[in-house]
Amino acid sequence: MPRFVVIGRTATASGDFLPDDVPGTSGRLDVLLRCVRAALLSSHGLRGDVSVHLVLGGGPRAPRTLRIDGASARFIRPDERSLATLVRKTLALVNVAADAASGLGADAPPGAAVDTALAFVEVKPGVAVASSGLEASLASHDARAPLFVLEEGGPDLRDAADVAAPGATFVLGDHLGFAEDARALLAAHGARPIAVGPRSLHAEDVITIVLNEIDRRSA
Amino acid sequence: MPRFVVIGRTATASGDFLPDDVPGTSGRLDVLLRCVRAALLSSHGLRGDVSVHLVLGGGPRAPRTLRIDGASARFIRPDERSLATLVRKTLALVNVAADAASGLGADAPPGAAVDTALAFVEVKPGVAVASSGLEASLASHDARAPLFVLEEGGPDLRDAADVAAPGATFVLGDHLGFAEDARALLAAHGARPIAVGPRSLHAEDVITIVLNEIDRRSA
């Protein structure tokens, strides 16, 4: 069950963006949406053994982390517009729950209340949200499984013996790279740098190449 | 200069689709748009040595082939909506030119007239259109360069000595696979089957993996 954690430093955590202009109004959430497709979809549908975490660091509700599990998610479409709608509706539900919990809003939908910051709360089948950032993904990482951070110039993925190990987690930056606090947190958790090749690529391409390597070793 | 040729069996050749619902109204042009991003964009911008051909087999103006060259194209954005707008505007210009040439429409814009079916005519910098299908891409393929067709179960990309050879062309099907006439045409041109791994993947993921292999060999 590989997990991909993509850090969107400016990506909106509130879901407030224009569907007709996701790149221009969401803090580049579009970068993360494309990672969802790369992580979860093959030609024959969902990859049931993969989960993807989107760390949303932008806007008034930040940080939040949205997790989608290939094992139980439904109606995951490959196009950006459908993925944007999924994320927007999910975050809108969480907004209602958060406002209710703080006495500001209407009643929370059942099961949508967020109680502790590090816990992922399922909002709809296979889609869960935590009201914290990278910490939430690392708290649920099995310490016995490898933790990789994708870095230009790191050791080659193809030379790493354990990329296909159960529970392996791969942490990726968005177009802005990693912030210092994220780097410190990853180092504290023993994350090992790894690279997919000699060229700097979009996060979604990195995910595609990692999964190809895992597919090859698992075949 | 690797070239990627993606065959969209139902993708609209006329550019008549709704920008708000590309997957539902364009014959799945969205599949091909995502291939443009995968082929032409890395983190640092355009890949100046790559071109991508979209073979558009759907609708009243079919077949047409739209070519985008990384060396001279401008304003290529990674998001589907921007890519959809680029393709729609390009095809609208070609529609005007084609109607003018057949005496049905207004004056063609300079340089946009399509004279022979196999010739690519540049419509805007780095963007050209031919009024034929796969034949146009194969006619401009250097017979001394390798021609690959991506096929599940084919020989492994990593074992092919010449994937990074100059002018190598990679032909991919969309979600519907190849039609019989396309298969026959590819066989007649000596196309060799090749596969990127054990799992069936979206065309854009296949392009990403091929380019990673080429990047590694060229490093």
Side-chain angles (χ1 to χ4, degrees):
Chain A
M1 177 102 180
R3 309 190 315 163
F4 294 94
V5 180
V6 192
I7 301 176
R9 291 174 63 172
T10 60
T12 172
S14 65
D16 294 322
F17 59 83
L18 297 176
D20 286 348
D21 184 13
V22 180
T25 62
S26 71
R28 296 308 307 276
L29 180 67
D30 62 305
V31 174
L32 278 65
L33 297 175
R34 292 194 291 273
C35 289
V36 173
R37 185 210 61 78
L40 295 183
L41 293 175
S42 71
S43 286
H44 299 310
L46 277 170
R47 287 180 180 265
D49 61 343
V50 176
S51 73
V52 59
H53 298 209
L54 308 183
V55 180
L56 308 171
R61 307 272 192 171
R64 277 177 177 163
T65 300
L66 190 151
R67 185 187 75 200
I68 308 179
D69 294 310
S72 48
R74 292 183 296 195
F75 312 117
I76 304 293
R77 303 282 313 155
D79 61 290
E80 279 171 49
R81 193 177 174 89
S82 297
L83 292 168
T85 300
L86 170 72
V87 168
R88 194 162 51 89
K89 289 184 174 175
T90 298
L91 293 173
L93 283 174
V94 179
N95 291 345
V96 170
D99 288 346
S102 62
L104 295 175
D107 288 347
V114 175
D115 35 36
T116 73
L118 293 179
F120 282 96
V121 176
E122 193 162 72
V123 178
K124 53 179 74 177
V127 183
V129 176
S131 56
S132 56
L134 179 59
E135 299 85 349
S137 299
L138 294 178
S140 60
H141 172 72
D142 180 346
R144 295 163 300 182
L147 175 64
F148 295 105
V149 54
L150 276 296
E151 293 266 27
E152 286 179 61
D156 191 351
L157 169 79
R158 292 191 188 179
D159 297 331
D162 53 350
V163 289
T169 294
F170 301 86
V171 182
L172 300 92
D174 63 1
H175 62 298
L176 299 174
F178 296 105
E180 279 311 310
D181 57 346
R183 283 193 188 282
L185 196 58
L186 287 164
H189 280 77
R192 291 149 53 197
I194 200 169
V196 298
R199 191 185 287 259
S200 178
L201 300 176
H202 290 176
E204 66 177 307
D205 290 327
V206 173
I207 292 173
T208 295
I209 293 164
V210 170
L211 280 172
N212 180 245
E213 186 67 22
I214 293 174
D215 286 344
R216 286 169 169 272
R217 298 200 194 180
S218 312
Chain B
M1 177 102 179
R3 308 191 316 163
F4 294 93
V5 179
V6 192
I7 302 175
R9 290 174 64 172
T10 61
T12 172
S14 64
D16 295 322
F17 59 84
L18 298 176
D20 285 348
D21 184 14
V22 179
T25 63
S26 69
R28 296 308 306 276
L29 180 68
D30 61 307
V31 173
L32 279 65
L33 297 176
R34 292 193 291 273
C35 289
V36 174
R37 185 209 61 78
L40 295 184
L41 292 175
S42 72
S43 286
H44 299 309
L46 277 170
R47 286 179 180 267
D49 60 343
V50 176
S51 73
V52 59
H53 298 209
L54 308 183
V55 180
L56 307 170
R61 308 272 192 172
R64 278 178 177 164
T65 301
L66 190 150
R67 185 187 75 199
I68 308 179
D69 294 311
S72 48
R74 292 182 296 194
F75 310 117
I76 304 293
R77 302 284 311 156
D79 61 290
E80 280 172 47
R81 193 176 174 89
S82 297
L83 292 167
T85 300
L86 169 72
V87 169
R88 194 162 52 90
K89 288 184 174 174
T90 298
L91 293 173
L93 282 174
V94 179
N95 291 345
V96 170
D99 288 346
S102 61
L104 296 174
D107 287 348
V114 176
D115 36 36
T116 73
L118 293 179
F120 281 95
V121 177
E122 193 162 70
V123 179
K124 53 181 74 179
V127 183
V129 176
S131 55
S132 56
L134 179 59
E135 300 84 349
S137 299
L138 294 178
S140 59
H141 172 73
D142 180 346
R144 295 164 299 181
L147 175 64
F148 296 105
V149 55
L150 275 296
E151 292 267 26
E152 284 179 61
D156 191 350
L157 167 80
R158 293 192 188 178
D159 297 331
D162 54 350
V163 289
T169 293
F170 300 86
V171 182
L172 300 92
D174 63 2
H175 61 297
L176 299 174
F178 296 105
E180 279 312 310
D181 57 346
R183 283 192 188 284
L185 196 58
L186 288 165
H189 280 76
R192 292 149 52 197
I194 201 169
V196 298
R199 192 185 285 260
S200 178
L201 300 176
H202 290 174
E204 64 177 306
D205 290 327
V206 172
I207 291 172
T208 295
I209 294 164
V210 170
L211 282 172
N212 180 245
E213 187 66 23
I214 293 174
D215 286 343
R216 285 169 170 273
R217 298 199 194 182
S218 312

